[in-house]
Structures are given as structure tokens and as C-alpha cells.
Coordinates of all heavy atoms in Angstrom, one line a residue:
Q12 N 21.7 16.4 -9.9 CA 20.5 16.0 -10.6 C 20.3 14.5 -10.5 O 19.2 14.0 -10.3 CB 20.7 16.4 -12.1 CG 20.6 17.9 -12.3 CD 20.8 18.2 -13.8 OE1 21.4 17.4 -14.5 NE2 20.4 19.4 -14.2
N13 N 21.4 13.7 -10.5 CA 21.3 12.3 -10.4 C 20.8 11.9 -9.0 O 19.9 11.0 -8.8 CB 22.6 11.6 -10.6 CG 23.0 11.6 -12.1 OD1 22.2 11.7 -13.0 ND2 24.3 11.5 -12.4
N14 N 21.3 12.6 -8.0 CA 20.8 12.3 -6.6 C 19.4 12.6 -6.4 O 18.6 11.9 -5.8 CB 21.7 13.1 -5.6 CG 23.1 12.6 -5.5 OD1 23.3 11.4 -5.8 ND2 24.0 13.4 -5.0
K15 N 19.0 13.7 -7.1 CA 17.6 14.2 -7.0 C 16.7 13.1 -7.7 O 15.6 12.8 -7.1 CB 17.4 15.5 -7.6 CG 16.0 16.1 -7.5 CD 15.9 17.5 -8.1 CE 14.5 18.1 -7.9 NZ 14.4 19.4 -8.5
S16 N 17.1 12.6 -8.8 CA 16.3 11.6 -9.5 C 16.2 10.3 -8.7 O 15.2 9.7 -8.7 CB 17.0 11.3 -10.9 OG 17.0 12.5 -11.7
K17 N 17.4 10.0 -8.1 CA 17.3 8.8 -7.3 C 16.3 8.9 -6.1 O 15.6 8.0 -5.8 CB 18.7 8.5 -6.7 CG 19.7 7.9 -7.8 CD 21.1 7.7 -7.2 CE 22.0 7.2 -8.2 NZ 23.4 7.0 -7.7
K18 N 16.4 10.1 -5.5 CA 15.5 10.3 -4.3 C 14.0 10.3 -4.8 O 13.2 9.7 -4.1 CB 15.7 11.7 -3.7 CG 17.1 11.8 -2.9 CD 17.3 13.1 -2.4 CE 18.6 13.2 -1.6 NZ 18.9 14.5 -1.0
I19 N 13.7 10.9 -6.0 CA 12.4 10.8 -6.5 C 11.9 9.4 -6.8 O 10.8 8.9 -6.4 CB 12.2 11.7 -7.8 CG1 12.4 13.2 -7.4 CG2 10.9 11.4 -8.5 CD1 12.5 14.1 -8.6
L20 N 12.8 8.6 -7.4 CA 12.6 7.2 -7.7 C 12.3 6.4 -6.4 O 11.3 5.6 -6.3 CB 13.7 6.6 -8.5 CG 13.5 5.1 -8.9 CD1 12.3 5.0 -9.8 CD2 14.8 4.6 -9.6
I21 N 13.1 6.6 -5.4 CA 13.0 5.9 -4.1 C 11.6 6.3 -3.5 O 10.9 5.4 -3.0 CB 14.1 6.2 -3.1 CG1 15.4 5.6 -3.7 CG2 13.8 5.7 -1.7 CD1 16.7 6.0 -2.9
F22 N 11.3 7.6 -3.5 CA 10.0 8.0 -3.0 C 8.8 7.4 -3.7 O 7.9 6.9 -3.0 CB 9.9 9.6 -3.1 CG 8.6 10.1 -2.7 CD1 8.3 10.3 -1.3 CD2 7.6 10.4 -3.6 CE1 7.0 10.8 -1.0 CE2 6.4 10.9 -3.2 CZ 6.1 11.1 -1.9
I23 N 8.9 7.3 -5.0 CA 7.8 6.6 -5.8 C 7.7 5.2 -5.4 O 6.6 4.7 -5.2 CB 8.1 6.8 -7.3 CG1 7.9 8.3 -7.7 CG2 7.1 5.9 -8.1 CD1 8.3 8.6 -9.1
I24 N 8.8 4.5 -5.3 CA 8.8 3.1 -4.9 C 8.2 2.9 -3.5 O 7.3 2.0 -3.3 CB 10.2 2.5 -5.0 CG1 10.7 2.4 -6.4 CG2 10.2 1.1 -4.4 CD1 12.1 2.0 -6.6
V25 N 8.6 3.7 -2.6 CA 8.1 3.6 -1.2 C 6.6 3.9 -1.2 O 5.8 3.2 -0.5 CB 8.9 4.6 -0.2 CG1 8.2 4.6 1.1 CG2 10.3 4.1 -0.1
F26 N 6.2 4.9 -1.9 CA 4.8 5.3 -2.0 C 3.9 4.1 -2.5 O 2.9 3.8 -1.9 CB 4.6 6.5 -2.8 CG 3.1 6.9 -3.0 CD1 2.5 7.6 -2.0 CD2 2.4 6.5 -4.1 CE1 1.2 8.0 -2.2 CE2 1.1 6.9 -4.3 CZ 0.5 7.6 -3.3
I27 N 4.4 3.5 -3.6 CA 3.7 2.4 -4.2 C 3.6 1.2 -3.2 O 2.5 0.6 -3.0 CB 4.4 1.9 -5.5 CG1 4.2 3.0 -6.5 CG2 3.8 0.6 -5.9 CD1 5.0 2.7 -7.8
L28 N 4.7 0.9 -2.5 CA 4.7 -0.2 -1.5 C 3.7 0.1 -0.4 O 2.9 -0.8 0.1 CB 6.1 -0.4 -0.9 CG 7.1 -1.0 -1.8 CD1 8.5 -1.0 -1.2 CD2 6.7 -2.5 -2.2
V29 N 3.7 1.3 0.2 CA 2.8 1.7 1.2 C 1.4 1.6 0.8 O 0.5 1.1 1.5 CB 3.1 3.1 1.7 CG1 2.0 3.6 2.7 CG2 4.5 3.2 2.4
F30 N 1.1 2.1 -0.5 CA -0.3 2.0 -1.0 C -0.7 0.6 -1.2 O -1.9 0.2 -0.8 CB -0.3 2.7 -2.4 CG -1.6 2.6 -3.1 CD1 -2.6 3.5 -2.7 CD2 -1.9 1.7 -4.1 CE1 -3.8 3.5 -3.4 CE2 -3.1 1.7 -4.7 CZ -4.1 2.6 -4.4
V31 N 0.1 -0.3 -1.7 CA -0.2 -1.7 -1.8 C -0.5 -2.4 -0.4 O -1.5 -3.1 -0.3 CB 0.9 -2.5 -2.5 CG1 0.6 -4.0 -2.5 CG2 1.0 -2.0 -4.0
I32 N 0.3 -2.0 0.6 CA 0.1 -2.6 1.9 C -1.2 -2.1 2.5 O -2.0 -2.9 3.1 CB 1.3 -2.2 2.8 CG1 2.5 -3.0 2.4 CG2 1.0 -2.6 4.3 CD1 3.8 -2.5 3.1
V33 N -1.5 -0.8 2.4 CA -2.7 -0.2 2.9 C -4.0 -0.9 2.2 O -4.9 -1.3 2.9 CB -2.8 1.3 2.7 CG1 -4.2 1.8 3.0 CG2 -1.7 2.0 3.6
M34 N -3.9 -1.0 0.9 CA -5.1 -1.6 0.2 C -5.3 -3.1 0.6 O -6.4 -3.6 0.8 CB -4.8 -1.6 -1.3 CG -4.9 -0.1 -1.9 SD -6.5 0.7 -1.5 CE -7.6 -0.3 -2.4
A35 N -4.2 -3.8 0.8 CA -4.3 -5.2 1.3 C -4.9 -5.3 2.7 O -5.8 -6.1 2.9 CB -2.9 -5.9 1.3
V36 N -4.5 -4.4 3.6 CA -5.1 -4.4 4.9 C -6.5 -4.1 4.9 O -7.4 -4.7 5.6 CB -4.3 -3.4 5.8 CG1 -5.0 -3.2 7.2 CG2 -2.9 -3.9 6.1
L37 N -6.9 -3.1 4.1 CA -8.3 -2.7 4.0 C -9.2 -3.8 3.4 O -10.3 -4.1 3.8 CB -8.5 -1.4 3.1 CG -8.0 -0.1 3.7 CD1 -8.1 1.0 2.7 CD2 -8.9 0.2 4.9
N38 N -8.6 -4.5 2.4 CA -9.3 -5.7 1.8 C -9.6 -6.8 2.8 O -10.7 -7.3 2.9 CB -8.5 -6.2 0.7 CG -9.3 -7.3 -0.1 OD1 -10.4 -7.1 -0.5 ND2 -8.6 -8.4 -0.4
V39 N -8.6 -7.1 3.6 CA -8.8 -8.1 4.7 C -9.8 -7.7 5.7 O -10.7 -8.4 6.2 CB -7.4 -8.4 5.4 CG1 -7.6 -9.3 6.6 CG2 -6.5 -9.1 4.4
Y40 N -9.8 -6.4 6.1 CA -10.7 -5.8 7.1 C -12.1 -5.9 6.6 O -13.0 -6.3 7.3 CB -10.3 -4.4 7.4 CG -11.4 -3.7 8.3 CD1 -11.4 -4.0 9.7 CD2 -12.3 -2.8 7.8 CE1 -12.4 -3.4 10.5 CE2 -13.2 -2.2 8.6 CZ -13.3 -2.5 9.9 OH -14.2 -1.9 10.7
N41 N -12.3 -5.5 5.3 CA -13.7 -5.5 4.7 C -14.3 -6.9 4.7 O -15.4 -7.1 4.9 CB -13.6 -4.9 3.3 CG -13.4 -3.4 3.4 OD1 -13.7 -2.7 4.3 ND2 -12.8 -2.8 2.3
K42 N -13.4 -7.9 4.3 CA -13.9 -9.2 4.3 C -14.3 -9.7 5.7 O -15.3 -10.4 5.8 CB -12.8 -10.1 3.7 CG -12.6 -10.0 2.2 CD -11.6 -11.0 1.7 CE -11.5 -10.9 0.2 NZ -10.5 -11.9 -0.3
S43 N -13.5 -9.3 6.7 CA -13.8 -9.8 8.0 C -15.1 -9.2 8.5 O -15.9 -9.8 9.3 CB -12.7 -9.4 9.0 OG -12.6 -8.0 9.1
V44 N -15.4 -7.9 8.1 CA -16.7 -7.3 8.5 C -17.9 -7.8 7.8 O -18.9 -8.0 8.4 CB -16.5 -5.7 8.3 CG1 -17.9 -5.0 8.6 CG2 -15.5 -5.1 9.2
S45 N -17.7 -8.1 6.5 CA -18.9 -8.4 5.7 C -19.2 -9.9 5.8 O -20.3 -10.3 5.5 CB -18.6 -8.1 4.2 OG -17.5 -8.8 3.7
T46 N -18.3 -10.8 6.2 CA -18.6 -12.2 6.3 C -19.0 -12.6 7.7 O -18.2 -12.5 8.6 CB -17.3 -13.0 5.9 OG1 -16.9 -12.5 4.6 CG2 -17.6 -14.5 5.8
P47 N -20.3 -13.1 7.9 CA -20.7 -13.5 9.2 C -20.1 -14.8 9.6 O -19.8 -15.6 8.7 CB -22.2 -13.6 9.1 CG -22.4 -13.8 7.6 CD -21.3 -13.2 6.9
P48 N -20.0 -15.1 10.9 CA -19.5 -16.4 11.3 C -20.5 -17.5 10.9 O -21.7 -17.3 10.8 CB -19.4 -16.3 12.8 CG -20.3 -15.2 13.2 CD -20.3 -14.2 12.0
E49 N -20.0 -18.7 10.7 CA -20.9 -19.8 10.2 C -21.9 -20.3 11.3 O -23.0 -20.6 11.0 CB -20.1 -21.0 9.7 CG -19.3 -20.6 8.5 CD -18.4 -21.8 8.0 OE1 -18.5 -22.8 8.6 OE2 -17.8 -21.6 6.9
E50 N -21.4 -20.4 12.5 CA -22.3 -20.8 13.6 C -22.3 -19.8 14.8 O -21.4 -19.8 15.6 CB -21.8 -22.2 14.1 CG -22.0 -23.3 13.2 CD -23.5 -23.7 13.1 OE1 -24.2 -23.6 14.1 OE2 -23.9 -24.2 12.1

């Protein structure tokens, strides 16, 4: 049961990290698309 709980906790942590990274990448991409060059 302890091992199972640890695995679930690790999975949740990894999922959160992946989600944060994906959102950060999308945010950078959207800014690059929506902002025209100055000259």
C-alpha cells in the first residue's frame, strides 16, 4: 500500500511538472506569434 501511494504521489508530481512546462512553452509560442517585429 505504501509503495502504491508513493507511485501515485510520484505520478502526480510528474504530471504537474509536465503540465507546467507545456503551459510555459505554449505561452512563449503565443507571444511570439501575436507580437509583430518592430521594424
Side-chain angles (χ1 to χ4, degrees):
Q12 289 176 342
N13 288 338
N14 289 337
K15 185 176 182 181
S16 298
K17 288 179 181 178
K18 289 179 179 179
I19 293 173
L20 181 60
I21 291 171
F22 174 80
I23 292 173
I24 292 172
V25 171
F26 177 79
I27 292 172
L28 287 174
V29 171
F30 179 78
V31 170
I32 292 171
V33 169
M34 291 304 294
V36 171
L37 286 175
N38 187 47
V39 171
Y40 173 76
N41 289 334
K42 284 184 178 180
S43 67
V44 172
S45 61
T46 304
E49 293 181 0
E50 288 288 331

